[in-house]
């Protein structure tokens, strides 16, 4: 808040809301993290917020901006698994990297989240502060007593496996006795990173209204059209903004960070192996000529 009111935020990152003639409502409608009724609740919460109007629009503008940029990156993961078999990647992780190598990969300092959203996505505004706060929620998710944010089996497995250490940051616990299960679950999560949706949609029963965070905004999608919200969830939802979809985005950033490291190592390994095979074939032909 201090940085914002004192003009400390970067202007180039704080202007996306100016190009949306619908104001906050238009920005909320552009992001289908919220179903119709839940979006109305979110709008109502924003109108009652003590934040300055410009800050509210800035946060929602950058929320949409981040999702659009992340959606464009999905093709990288889709392309990788179109060219490489997931089972082979899983076996390579277990046999080549091993427990020690995987343990080094599956570590991420909490501060890396802020670094990624600022350097990779150009978000240096109030929304970056929101995501830093949400990162702490993710790190201490078990203590929040919220229900699972996940909307697919792969996402739920990743949410359950994700562990936060006060000094080491986010990690996946890697031990000899559980390595097969952890690696299989993460590789399946990597496949899911390729789509079809940035954030998968979950259809909750109308009677499922016990979430202490907020009811319906876990029906996540990308950016676009709307669905039909549960009236029961709307009636039971508490006033105030929900950060459920932001928590999912933070976990997505963590998962992509580790997926990128595995993809880079695997690609380099396969390139070197292909070079070895190619050189061996050349040597064999030269030997045959002699």
């Amino acid at each position: 808040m201090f940085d914002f009111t004192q003009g400390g935020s970067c202007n180039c990152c704080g202007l996306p809301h100016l190009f949306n003639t619908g104001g906050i409502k238009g920005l909320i409608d552009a992001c289908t993290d919220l179903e119709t009724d839940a979006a109305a609740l979110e709008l109502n919460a924003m109108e009652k917020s003590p934040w300055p109007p410009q800050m509210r629009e800035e946060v929602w503008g950058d929320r949409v901006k981040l999702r659009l940029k992340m959606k464009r990156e999905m093709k990288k993961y889709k392309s990788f698994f179109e060219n490489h078999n997931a089972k082979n990647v899983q076996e390579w992780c277990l046999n080549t990297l091993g427990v020690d190598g995987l343990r080094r990969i599956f570590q991420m300092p909490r501060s890396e989240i802020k670094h990624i959203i600022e350097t990779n996505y150009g978000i240096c505004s109030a929304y970056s502060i929101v995501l830093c706060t949400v990162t702490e929620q993710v790190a201490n998710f078990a203590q929040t007593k919220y229900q699972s944010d996940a909307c697919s089996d792969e996402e739920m497995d990743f949410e359950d496996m994700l562990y936060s250490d006060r000094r080491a940051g986010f990690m996946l616990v890697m031990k000899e006795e559980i390595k097969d299960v952890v690696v299989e679950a993460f590789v399946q999560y990597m496949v899911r990173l390729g789509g079809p949706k940035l954030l998968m949609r979950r259809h909750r029963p109308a009677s499922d209204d016990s979430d202490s965070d907020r009811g319906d905004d876990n029906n996540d999608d990308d950016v676009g059209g709307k669905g039909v919200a549960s009236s029961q969830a709307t009636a039971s939802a508490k006033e105030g903004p929900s950060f459920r979809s932001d928590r999912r985005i933070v976990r997505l950033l963590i998962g992509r960070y580790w997926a990128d490291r595995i993809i880079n190592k695997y690609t380099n390994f396969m390139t070197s192996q292909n070079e070895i095979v190619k050189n061996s074939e050349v040597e064999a032909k030269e030997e045959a000529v002699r």
Side-chain angles (χ1 to χ4, degrees):
M1 174 69 80
F2 176 80
D3 287 341
F4 181 86
T5 57
Q6 298 302 316
S9 61
C10 176
N11 284 336
C12 67
C13 301
L15 295 179
H17 60 284
L18 296 182
F19 301 97
N20 185 75
T21 57
I24 291 182
K25 185 179 186 303
L27 292 168
I28 292 176
D29 289 343
C31 192
T32 56
D33 296 290
L34 301 175
E35 293 290 337
T36 305
D37 291 343
L41 288 169
E42 200 74 41
L43 178 61
N44 182 60
M46 282 293 99
E47 290 174 345
K48 295 179 180 179
S49 170
W51 292 0
Q54 185 181 355
M55 178 184 280
R56 303 175 208 168
E57 294 189 7
E58 182 181 274
V59 167
W60 275 100
D62 281 340
R63 188 172 271 133
V64 174
K65 172 184 173 181
L66 177 60
R67 281 156 176 73
L68 286 171
K69 288 191 172 184
M70 292 182 71
K71 181 175 173 60
R72 295 191 193 110
E73 296 171 338
M74 291 168 58
K75 58 186 178 183
K76 173 176 66 175
Y77 305 100
K78 181 179 180 180
S79 175
F80 176 76
F81 284 106
E82 285 176 346
N83 294 294
H84 303 283
N85 183 272
K87 192 68 176 178
N88 293 340
V89 175
Q90 179 181 331
E91 292 176 356
W92 175 83
C93 287
L94 292 170
N95 300 327
T96 303
L97 294 179
V99 172
D100 291 337
L102 289 167
R103 192 177 288 130
R104 286 191 292 269
I105 284 178
F106 292 136
Q107 291 187 19
M108 180 185 188
R110 293 189 197 179
S111 59
E112 191 68 21
I113 297 290
K114 188 173 188 293
H115 176 74
I116 289 173
I117 62 176
E118 289 181 352
T119 59
N120 293 10
Y121 302 104
I123 295 177
C124 309
S125 63
Y127 186 51
S128 69
I129 306 302
V130 170
L131 286 180
C132 286
T133 303
V134 170
T135 299
E136 292 303 309
Q137 282 190 357
V138 173
N140 299 281
F141 192 66
Q143 285 72 46
T144 67
K145 304 302 181 183
Y146 296 154
Q147 291 185 357
S148 172
D149 297 328
C151 296
S152 68
D153 292 339
E154 295 86 357
E155 189 181 6
M156 183 169 291
D157 288 341
F158 183 67
E159 180 184 298
D160 290 341
M161 293 189 303
L162 188 62
Y163 174 77
S164 178
D165 181 82
R166 189 171 184 178
R167 290 175 295 179
F170 293 107
M171 62 176 65
L172 296 184
V173 177
M174 186 59 56
K175 298 180 180 178
E176 191 67 37
E177 57 269 24
I178 61 172
K179 65 177 183 179
D180 291 6
V181 175
V182 173
V183 171
E184 180 180 5
F186 186 76
V187 170
Q188 290 305 311
Y189 182 76
M190 287 177 62
V191 174
R192 177 65 73 182
L193 294 179
K197 300 294 184 181
L198 179 67
L199 296 174
M200 296 302 294
R201 181 182 294 274
R202 179 176 67 181
H203 300 286
R204 298 176 65 193
S207 60
D208 185 3
D209 59 356
S210 58
D211 189 351
S212 59
D213 185 22
R214 260 276 299 276
D216 216 71
D217 82 308
N218 60 338
N219 292 294
D220 293 57
D221 205 338
D222 302 321
V223 177
K226 288 294 189 180
V228 179
S230 162
S231 59
Q232 179 73 23
T234 302
S236 65
K238 297 180 179 179
E239 290 188 0
S242 172
F243 302 102
R244 178 181 305 237
S245 61
D246 288 331
R247 291 195 297 269
R248 295 182 69 195
I249 286 292
V250 167
R251 293 191 189 95
L252 194 60
L253 290 170
I254 297 170
R256 283 186 172 192
Y257 178 82
W258 291 333
D260 289 345
R261 299 178 73 181
I262 289 177
I263 288 172
N264 289 338
K265 285 183 175 293
Y266 184 82
T267 303
N268 291 337
F269 176 83
M270 294 304 296
T271 300
S272 64
Q273 290 297 108
N274 290 336
E275 285 295 325
I276 292 173
V277 172
K278 184 178 179 180
N279 292 337
S280 298
E281 291 176 350
V282 170
E283 292 175 358
K285 290 180 180 179
E286 291 176 350
E287 187 67 29
V289 171
R290 294 174 190 169

